[in-house]
Amino acid sequence: MDNNVLRERISLLGPFLGDAISRQTGEQTLDTIETLRKGFIQQRRAPNEANKQQLIDFIASLDNKTLKNVIRSFSIYFFLANLTILYQKRLVFGIKKPLSIMIAVCKYIYS
């Protein structure tokens, strides 16, 4: 399986999910997600206790509604990423049957 192709396909999910989040929960939630996403990427690349604490404090400051939307958004993103991996495996291994659950979920999410 070509990881570059897979990475490219998964990266396509971001803008679609970002648009859906913005429409459903507002720009504030999307901005919060982007702050966390960039902060954790920075933390993974260059671990730093101050940065880690800043992220923890930022999460602790979120109200319950925003926190729920952030958690839900990250969960949906990783669910879609996993579906993309399953789809890629289907292509690689030549499985002819469609992944009906993937189609149903995508229709639900993007409707």
Side-chain angles (χ1 to χ4, degrees):
M1 183 179 319
D2 185 352
N3 284 335
N4 290 331
V5 171
L6 186 57
R7 195 172 290 120
E8 183 180 311
R9 287 183 177 164
I10 291 173
S11 72
L12 293 174
L13 297 172
F16 290 119
L17 189 54
D19 290 344
I21 291 166
S22 182
R23 283 193 315 270
Q24 297 294 320
T25 63
E27 285 293 318
Q28 179 185 358
T29 300
L30 187 59
D31 291 343
T32 300
I33 290 166
E34 279 301 297
T35 298
L36 289 169
R37 187 183 70 79
K38 289 175 182 176
F40 281 109
I41 289 170
Q42 179 184 347
Q43 180 65 18
R44 186 183 70 231
R45 290 182 180 158
N48 175 308
E49 277 303 312
N51 182 49
K52 180 180 172 182
Q53 191 58 51
Q54 228 177 1
L55 288 165
I56 291 169
D57 293 344
F58 182 69
I59 292 168
S61 75
L62 299 174
D63 62 85
N64 286 340
K65 182 179 178 184
T66 302
L67 189 57
K68 179 184 79 174
N69 288 331
V70 167
I71 292 168
R72 185 175 288 157
S73 298
F74 276 110
S75 296
I76 291 170
Y77 172 80
F78 287 112
F79 178 75
L80 291 174
N82 287 330
L83 284 178
T84 302
I85 292 167
L86 287 175
Y87 182 75
Q88 181 71 17
K89 285 182 179 179
R90 177 183 157 265
L91 294 177
V92 168
F93 295 114
I95 299 169
K96 301 295 182 205
K97 291 193 279 185
L99 295 174
S100 58
I101 189 167
M102 182 174 160
I103 294 166
V105 169
C106 288
K107 284 181 179 178
Y108 174 78
I109 290 172
Y110 294 112
S111 64

